[in-house]
Amino acid sequence: CPGKGAGERGEKGRKGSRRKLSPPPRIPSYFFCPSPRLARTPAALGAGVAAVFAAGLVGVYLSMPDSDYSFLKLPRNLHELQILTGHLENYTSDYTVQVLIGYCAVYIFMQTFMIPGTIFMSLLAGALFGQLRGVALVVFAASAGASSCFFLSKLIGKPLVFVLWPDKLTFFQKQVAKRREKLLNYMLFLRVTPTLPNTFINLASPIVDVPFHTFLLATLIGLIPAAYVTVRAGIALGELTSLSDLYDTQSVALLFLIGVVSVTPALLSKDEAQDTAPEIAAGAS
């Protein structure tokens, strides 16, 4: 019967099309109802990582001379940062190693646990260490912190990412799967542009199977433009009145130039770029 044959072919076609669809990421049931042992593991691991950073900072503190260190606190605005810089400048020349270790420990800790305020740390690097050493220090500390966040998320971060960014995670998973052969270029594009937040990239990359070497290389290269702008502004910290002063015309032009050069390898063919532009816009919203 022709009608029957057509119906069977239609049914087979529908089955074939259903098989090609990839299901969205699912949250395992034990994330909602974990056993007491599983529930204690993430807290214990996070506390252990924090204890390591704390021990390093205590070691730095004990190696410094006796003085009043009440000024040592995370700056929340430019005024507090300027006060902190004025005090630390007196120690940087005589206790360079201790200041470097303390700076890196604080920066990496903030990146690992997603504590806001790393932009002030980048400005501080410029004020204390100058342009070249400041950029190198910021890129190193930011990359180390992002890597630490990557591995911490790989162990205990899945529930957090699923709850906070379910739509972004689905979008990111599809894009990574689609660009598996040119994944480094795509990750570099994400680092240089504000398509997805850096915090989300750090946490979600291990969940969607981004290889660590690809993640690290894209982070090292992609953070250079922004680090250059903030460190350069930190050299003239006393002239800043607000964070908006960071991006003057010259800085924006230079950042744009570096960004274009950095993402040139990531540009796909015109047809594919046009197809994926709406998806990128949707993921950023």
Side-chain angles (χ1 to χ4, degrees):
C1 177
K4 182 178 179 181
E8 291 178 351
R9 287 194 298 269
E11 182 65 24
K12 290 180 180 179
R14 286 192 295 272
K15 289 182 179 179
S17 62
R18 285 198 296 268
R19 281 195 292 268
K20 293 179 181 179
L21 295 176
S22 57
R26 294 182 178 178
I27 307 177
S29 58
Y30 60 80
F31 286 153
F32 295 107
C33 302
S35 66
R37 182 176 181 180
L38 286 176
R40 289 193 298 267
T41 300
L45 184 58
V49 174
V52 171
F53 283 107
L57 290 175
V58 169
V60 171
Y61 176 80
L62 294 177
S63 66
M64 297 291 284
D66 294 335
S67 182
D68 180 16
Y69 294 106
S70 59
F71 62 87
L72 288 177
K73 61 179 182 179
L74 293 179
R76 294 170 294 180
N77 52 57
L78 284 176
H79 177 66
E80 293 182 357
L81 177 62
Q82 290 165 351
I83 294 175
L84 177 63
T85 302
H87 286 285
L88 287 180
E89 283 176 341
N90 300 326
Y91 294 95
T92 303
S93 57
D94 297 329
Y95 300 92
T96 305
V97 174
Q98 289 91 332
V99 173
L100 279 172
I101 294 175
Y103 177 91
C104 290
V106 172
Y107 202 122
I108 294 172
F109 179 84
M110 294 175 70
Q111 283 282 85
T112 300
F113 293 98
M114 302 168 289
I115 300 174
T118 53
I119 187 172
F120 295 115
M121 297 296 293
S122 299
L123 290 168
L124 181 62
L128 296 180
F129 303 105
Q131 182 72 69
L132 184 60
R133 289 190 298 172
V135 170
L137 185 61
V138 169
V139 171
F140 164 76
S143 299
S147 300
S148 179
C149 186
F150 178 97
F151 286 114
L152 194 62
S153 176
K154 189 173 184 177
L155 294 174
I156 62 175
K158 284 185 178 181
L160 181 64
V161 179
F162 274 115
V163 171
L164 293 180
W165 302 290
D167 295 334
K168 281 186 173 63
L169 183 62
T170 302
F171 163 79
F172 191 35
Q173 185 181 46
K174 290 178 180 178
Q175 296 300 315
V176 168
K178 184 187 300 183
R179 294 172 170 80
R180 183 64 62 178
E181 295 181 357
K182 297 181 180 179
L183 191 54
L184 175 60
N185 293 336
Y186 178 61
M187 294 298 295
L188 181 60
F189 171 79
L190 292 181
R191 284 301 192 189
V192 177
T193 64
T195 304
L196 291 172
N198 280 327
T199 299
F200 169 80
I201 296 172
N202 296 342
L203 289 170
S205 291
I207 298 175
V208 298
D209 296 326
V210 174
F212 175 68
H213 68 275
T214 301
F215 172 87
L216 178 61
L217 186 57
T219 301
L220 285 169
I221 300 174
L223 293 180
I224 292 176
Y228 176 85
V229 172
T230 52
V231 169
R232 180 172 172 270
I235 296 175
L237 182 61
E239 301 176 7
L240 292 178
T241 58
S242 67
L243 292 180
S244 61
D245 296 339
L246 291 175
Y247 301 100
D248 55 18
T249 304
Q250 182 179 358
S251 298
V252 171
L254 182 61
L255 186 61
F256 176 78
L257 177 62
I258 297 175
V260 170
V261 173
S262 300
V263 303
T264 296
L267 297 178
L268 307 177
S269 64
K270 292 184 179 180
D271 292 339
E272 186 173 353
Q274 291 173 355
D275 292 340
T276 57
E279 295 179 355
I280 293 176
S285 62

